[in-house]
């Protein structure tokens, strides 16, 4: 991909990248487009979609709101690396943990980190329900997740991983407000409080995006997250 084009598209959205960062995104794009043909890692129809819907969407919130001083980030259900890897490229000092259930996607992420020569990236292959009951419980200063599950499910997976005083960023589409209502009870029981919402539209079609930022103010109740599959099967819906 053309790193200059990526750089100017990012600048037009208020995201300032240097030459090295734009080059890393270009390499990321090439690798993803090539590997996607073999393994179907994510849905992308072309380069423009990749730039806006994946790279810019991943970095926008961090570029405008900063990252709350956290030195580490866990990206839950990272898939082909979103939003965790573009955020790491944007903030190279960050320690990045990629949590992903699929082995095939972890293999892609490992290859990607190697090609981009990223330092301090760690791979956790497994389920958030399990890691959130064990070594990952109340462990991370900052957790992100995009396109993993509705918020009432996602909050149960993500908030137990966040350390007290840390943050969870849920990347959401136009249904963010509704999802937030449905998730009120599980958010509270997992110790989260809504702190801020970042709303924006993605060029070129103006797709509506919201990042809901939660602060972890208390420990999650012991019973959360429930066993693998239960948060999805029996979400604690409020409405
Ligand atoms: N965040 C990426 C990928 C979204 S697809 C993006 O925005 O493009 C959702 C990903 O989450 C899949 O790769 C799936 O394997 C992973 N996933 C879903 N539930 C999970 C869980 N409970 N624990 C870990 N990974 C999970």
């Amino acid at each position: 991909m053309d790193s200059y084009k990526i750089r100017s598209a990012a600048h037009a959205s208020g995201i300032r990248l240097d030459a090295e960062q734009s080059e890393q995104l270009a390499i990321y794009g090439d690798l993803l487009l090539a590997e996607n043909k073999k393994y179907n890692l994510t849905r992308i129809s072309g380069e423009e979609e990749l730039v806006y819907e994946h790279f810019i969407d991943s970095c926008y919130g961090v570029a405008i709101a900063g990252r709350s001083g956290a030195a580490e980030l866990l990206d839950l259900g990272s898939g082909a690396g979103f939003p965790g890897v573009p955020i790491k490229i944007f903030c190279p000092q960050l320690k990045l943990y990629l949590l992903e259930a699929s082995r095939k996607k972890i293999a892609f992420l490992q290859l990607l980190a190697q090609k981009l020569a990223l330092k301090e990236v760690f791979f956790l292959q497994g389920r958030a329900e399990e890691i959130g009951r064990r070594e990952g419980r109340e462990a991370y200063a900052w957790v992100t997740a995009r396109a993993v599950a509705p918020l009432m499910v996602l909050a149960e997976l993500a908030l137990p991983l966040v350390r007290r005083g840390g943050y969870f960023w849920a990347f959401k589409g136009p249904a963010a407000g509704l999802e937030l209502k449905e998730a009120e009870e599980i958010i509270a029981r997992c110790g989260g409080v809504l702190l801020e919402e970042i709303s924006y539209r993605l060029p070129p079609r103006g797709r509506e995006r919201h990042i809901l930022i939660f602060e972890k103010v208390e420990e999650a109740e012991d019973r959360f997250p429930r066993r693998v599959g239960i948060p999805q099967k029996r979400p604690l819906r409020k409405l």
Side-chain angles (χ1 to χ4, degrees):
M1 285 176 69
D2 180 345
S3 70
Y4 182 77
K5 271 195 197 151
I6 296 175
R7 196 173 180 185
S8 37
H11 278 204
S13 296
I15 303 168
R16 306 200 73 82
L17 301 173
D18 63 25
E20 189 188 344
Q21 291 167 322
S22 332
E23 185 53 33
Q24 283 181 307
L25 288 175
I27 295 170
Y28 188 173
D30 288 337
L31 184 70
L32 184 53
L33 290 166
E35 295 292 305
N36 211 32
K37 286 195 191 121
K38 298 187 243 168
Y39 301 116
N40 193 24
L41 297 159
T42 184
R43 249 183 310 167
I44 18 171
S45 59
E47 294 193 359
E48 187 179 61
E49 185 183 351
L50 187 50
V51 170
Y52 291 108
E53 312 235 327
H54 292 299
F55 295 160
I56 291 183
D57 188 37
S58 293
C59 290
Y60 185 84
V62 183
I64 68 144
R67 57 186 163 96
S68 323
E72 65 189 9
L73 166 66
L74 176 130
D75 189 28
L76 190 178
S78 196
F82 306 113
V85 176
I87 292 177
K88 167 73 179 171
I89 291 171
F90 190 71
C91 311
Q93 302 308 321
L94 211 55
K95 220 172 172 175
L96 177 65
Y97 297 85
L98 297 169
L99 167 56
E100 172 51 57
S102 147
R103 257 177 224 288
K104 178 181 85 174
K105 289 177 179 169
I106 286 281
F108 170 79
L109 293 167
Q110 285 170 329
L111 177 66
L112 175 66
Q114 189 194 338
K115 292 250 190 234
L116 298 179
L118 297 178
K119 293 191 190 80
E120 300 233 88
V121 181
F122 306 93
F123 306 90
L124 307 171
Q125 197 249 314
R127 303 275 312 198
E129 296 93 318
E130 286 171 335
I131 288 170
R133 297 204 68 87
R134 297 193 312 246
E135 69 273 21
R137 191 170 186 83
E138 311 274 332
Y140 298 93
W142 184 19
V143 174
T144 53
R146 189 186 79 160
V148 174
L151 191 61
M152 63 186 166
V153 175
L154 185 61
E156 179 171 349
L157 302 178
L159 283 168
L161 297 162
V162 184
R163 168 186 310 165
R164 274 250 286 262
Y167 302 93
F168 165 47
W169 288 29
F171 285 61
K172 289 289 170 188
L178 182 64
E179 289 192 33
L180 188 60
K181 283 217 173 76
E182 287 178 337
E184 257 172 32
E185 179 173 348
I186 188 72
I187 291 166
R189 294 181 68 176
C190 289
V193 161
L194 181 69
L195 196 67
E196 194 189 333
E197 180 174 348
I198 302 173
S199 301
Y200 53 100
R201 285 185 180 276
L202 279 180
R205 284 179 293 283
R207 269 196 339 120
E208 184 185 334
R209 305 290 298 152
H210 302 272
I211 300 175
L212 303 171
I213 302 183
F214 300 92
E215 183 176 352
K216 183 77 177 280
V217 293
E218 275 174 73
E219 266 182 38
E221 286 181 18
D222 268 353
R223 63 181 290 235
F224 300 116
R226 289 168 291 166
R227 291 199 319 279
V228 169
I230 302 297
Q232 298 79 348
K233 213 156 98 189
R234 291 207 292 275
L236 225 75
R237 184 201 302 267
K238 194 181 166 247
L239 294 178

